């Protein structure tokens, strides 16, 4: 892999939006030394009466350098603000102009990605070269059609026309691997998710259907809608980390469950829902309600074939003192060719099989009785069955894709093996 390190930055300043604020203040600095990204709060920030820790216990309000705890190279609460696969592709395209395989083989250091991505990133942080002046790396207005064209060019490894470069760059700080952009519509901000060139079925509509069914099944989920642009489907996901107020936009801080676990990307696959439940019991507001909600999300992921439920796809709001689950997001049924499947993280006891019985046996860790767990499972199955056709109609899903998704991703027979006699009647 080619590494572009010439003139790479060795430091970056972290700016933060404090609760209810519409303008950021500088919180501290990241420094790169011998491959580690250490952090230190600024004196002016520590002197503020309203200062909050970026995240506890990882970055407590204290003087001096805070080194990342092994195996981390950077504090996870800072890394949560960095772009993932898609954003990195946009940045590589923008900074190098390389095409095809040449662009795929380029990698930058983390500070380059932090300082070269859009400022409207998830959560309440941004990263700047200056400690004195905040300059937002904002977007230029573009239509969904234009954004789709720009995203397709990135997928093909082609340079983006300058007129569209800033617009697509605006969304480069967002996580995930699929093409996306950020748009604003009055009092709401959205993440726009596009089809990928290698999609073999309507992935965008499948995610819309899963998110809508989740809401109808009683889960707390981000709002979604479908749009059409350039003859393709676009999924709009409402951002829950932004609130429109009189003087502008307030940002809500949140951290991924990878940060809650204190794990890096590689070790994150060894995390589990039960471990997250332990953290909720110890540190969350209203833990009993949060445990029930997490259990519902775990069950629903299995019922709709979302096996991409890795540790970055769960998150919690952070107000400087307490944690609370964010709405669910990225509930996206995954391609499936075999009956058997596994979740991205363990459910309990080193078991990640995508089966309802595994969930039922783990119910006690979520402070649920067996009858409560069965009621959640059976209620979600009923909600999916009852609303399937109407939500597919809402999405304009073709009969071919309905047949492809039903009983393959949605309510796959493997999920019911060993549970309450197997598949419900009529499936």
């Amino acid at each position: 892999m080619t590494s572009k390190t010439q003139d790479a930055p060795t430091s970056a300043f972290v700016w933060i939006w404090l609760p209810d604020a519409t303008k950021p203040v500088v919180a501290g600095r990241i420094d790169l030394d011998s491959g580690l990204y250490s952090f230190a709060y600024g004196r002016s920030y520590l002197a503020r009466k309203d200062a909050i820790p970026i995240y506890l216990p990882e970055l407590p309000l204290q003087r001096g350098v805070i080194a990342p705890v092994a195996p981390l190279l950077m504090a996870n609460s800072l890394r949560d603000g960095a772009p993932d696969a898609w954003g990195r592709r946009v940045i590589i395209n923008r900074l190098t102009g390389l095409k095809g395989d040449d662009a795929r083989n380029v990698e930058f250091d983390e500070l380059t990605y932090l300082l070269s991505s859009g400022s409207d990133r998830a959560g309440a942080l941004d990263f700047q070269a200056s400690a004195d002046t905040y300059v937002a790396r904002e977007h230029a207005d573009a239509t969904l059609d234009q954004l789709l064209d720009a995203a397709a060019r990135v997928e093909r490894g082609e340079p983006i026309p300058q007129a569209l470069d800033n617009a697509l760059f605006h969304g480069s700080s967002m996580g995930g691997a699929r093409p996306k952009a950020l748009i604003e519509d009055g009092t709401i901000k959205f993440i726009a998710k596009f089809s990928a060139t290698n999609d073999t079925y309507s992935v965008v509509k499948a995610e819309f259907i899963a998110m809508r069914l989740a809401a109808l099944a009683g889960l707390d989920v981000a709002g979604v809608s479908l749009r059409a642009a350039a003859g393709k489907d676009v999924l709009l996901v409402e951002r829950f980390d932004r609130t429109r107020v009189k003087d502008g936009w307030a940002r809500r801080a949140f951290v991924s469950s990878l940060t809650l676990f204190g794990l890096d990307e590689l070790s994150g696959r060894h995390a589990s829902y039960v471990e997250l439940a332990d953290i909720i019991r110890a540190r969350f507001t209203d833990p009993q309600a949060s445990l029930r909600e997490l259990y519902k999300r775990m069950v629903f992921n299995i019922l709709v074939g979302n096996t991409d439920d890795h540790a970055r796809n769960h998150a919690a709001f952070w107000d400087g003192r307490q944690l609370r689950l964010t709405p669910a997001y990225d509930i996206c049924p995954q391609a499936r060719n075999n009956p058997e499947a596994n979740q991205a993280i363990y459910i309990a006891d080193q078991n990640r099989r995508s089966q309802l019985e595994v969930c039922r046996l783990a119910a006690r860790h979520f402070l649920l009785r067996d009858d409560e767990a069965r009621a959640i499972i059976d209620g979600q199955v009923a909600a999916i069955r009852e609303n399937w056709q109407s939500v597919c109609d809402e999405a304009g899903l073709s009969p071919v894709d309905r047949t492809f998704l039903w009983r393959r991703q949605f309510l796959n027979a493997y999920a019911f093996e060993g549970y309450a006699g197997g598949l419900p009647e009529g499936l």
Side-chain angles (χ1 to χ4, degrees):
M1 177 174 288
T2 302
S3 178
K4 295 286 183 177
T5 57
Q6 186 176 3
D7 300 323
T10 59
S11 65
F13 291 94
V14 181
W15 290 66
I16 186 171
W17 277 255
L18 294 169
D20 302 319
T22 58
K23 296 185 182 299
V25 296
V26 66
R29 190 177 73 186
I30 304 171
D31 286 297
L32 173 60
D33 184 22
S34 301
L36 293 178
Y37 299 87
S38 297
F39 175 78
Y41 285 105
R43 291 181 181 178
S44 62
Y45 186 74
L46 290 174
R48 295 181 66 99
K49 292 183 178 179
D50 58 351
I52 65 171
I54 291 174
Y55 174 65
L56 290 176
E58 189 174 52
L59 296 177
L61 285 175
Q62 64 183 43
R63 291 187 177 184
V65 174
I66 305 173
V69 177
L72 302 180
L73 301 179
M74 174 187 289
N76 260 341
S77 51
L78 301 175
R79 175 61 180 81
D80 280 341
D84 284 334
W86 169 252
R88 292 174 188 237
R89 289 183 65 182
V90 173
I91 291 166
I92 290 168
N93 183 294
R94 187 181 216 227
L95 295 183
T96 68
L98 295 174
K99 300 180 181 181
D101 290 337
D102 290 335
R104 295 187 185 96
N105 293 329
V106 172
E107 188 59 84
F108 291 108
D109 64 281
E110 288 299 323
L111 290 182
T112 296
Y113 286 124
L114 289 174
L115 291 171
S116 300
S117 49
S119 289
D120 199 9
R121 66 189 72 243
L125 300 180
D126 192 23
F127 305 90
Q128 297 275 308
S130 170
D132 302 315
T133 305
Y134 179 80
V135 180
R137 297 181 291 275
E138 295 292 356
H139 71 294
D141 290 332
T143 65
L144 280 176
D145 287 28
Q146 291 170 322
L147 288 168
L148 272 167
D149 176 60
R153 288 173 181 266
V154 170
E155 284 201 285
R156 294 193 299 268
E158 299 174 2
I160 308 172
Q162 188 60 45
L164 297 179
D165 180 69
N166 288 341
L168 192 63
F169 164 76
H170 180 51
S172 61
S173 57
M174 305 306 290
R178 293 184 61 80
K180 61 179 63 65
L182 298 179
I183 63 173
E184 180 180 329
D185 184 10
T187 61
I188 304 176
K189 289 194 175 189
F190 298 93
I191 300 172
K193 295 187 174 184
F194 308 134
S195 302
T197 54
N198 59 350
D199 286 346
T200 57
Y201 63 97
S202 184
V203 175
V204 168
K205 286 184 176 180
E207 183 171 355
F208 170 81
I209 290 167
M211 293 286 284
R212 287 285 294 118
L213 287 172
L216 292 168
L219 278 69
D220 178 21
V221 298
V224 293
S225 58
L226 276 178
R227 296 288 186 273
K232 295 184 177 180
D233 299 309
V234 180
L235 177 68
L236 300 185
V237 183
E238 294 183 22
R239 294 188 63 177
F240 47 73
D241 61 338
R242 297 291 185 269
T243 304
R244 183 70 181 178
V245 296
K246 182 180 179 181
D247 299 326
W249 290 95
R251 303 191 179 194
R252 298 192 67 179
F254 71 88
V255 292
S256 71
S257 65
L258 197 64
T259 297
L260 300 179
F261 291 129
L263 300 174
D264 64 8
E265 299 286 348
L266 291 176
S267 56
R269 67 183 185 277
H270 299 301
S272 74
Y273 280 98
V274 164
E275 289 176 297
L276 184 52
D278 290 340
I279 295 171
I280 288 174
R281 285 202 303 272
R283 303 192 56 204
F284 276 52
T285 60
D286 197 2
Q288 191 158 8
S290 295
L291 287 168
R292 186 180 184 88
E293 176 67 22
L294 178 63
Y295 188 82
K296 288 162 65 176
R297 295 179 189 185
M298 178 177 71
V299 169
F300 192 81
N301 283 334
I302 288 174
L303 288 174
V304 301
N306 177 31
T307 54
D308 192 36
D309 54 344
H310 56 78
R312 285 206 183 277
N313 278 346
H314 302 276
F317 290 121
W318 167 251
D319 64 5
R321 296 180 300 109
Q322 297 176 310
L323 294 159
R324 185 170 66 83
L325 280 178
T326 69
Y329 55 95
D330 275 347
I331 304 177
C332 186
Q334 300 297 300
R336 187 167 179 167
N337 296 317
N338 298 315
E340 297 184 1
N342 293 296
Q343 299 306 116
I345 60 176
Y346 292 113
I347 295 172
D349 302 324
Q350 304 295 296
N351 190 338
R352 63 174 85 237
R353 293 198 304 274
S354 305
Q355 293 187 311
L356 299 172
E357 181 66 5
V358 180
C359 295
R360 187 188 70 80
L361 293 174
R364 60 185 176 85
H365 297 285
F366 300 82
L367 304 185
L368 294 170
R369 301 187 309 270
D370 186 67
D371 62 314
E372 293 176 313
R374 288 180 180 273
I376 288 171
I377 293 170
D378 297 343
Q380 288 190 10
V381 172
I384 293 170
R385 294 176 65 185
E386 292 167 5
N387 294 290
W388 169 255
Q389 293 296 347
S390 61
V391 173
C392 287
D393 290 344
E394 186 180 349
L397 191 69
S398 70
V400 171
D401 275 343
R402 294 188 199 206
T403 300
F404 177 81
L405 292 171
W406 187 246
R407 298 286 307 281
R408 185 190 300 253
Q409 280 84 354
F410 293 83
L411 303 189
N412 187 285
Y414 178 72
F416 294 89
E417 288 184 8
Y419 174 73
L423 281 167
E425 291 184 11
L427 281 183

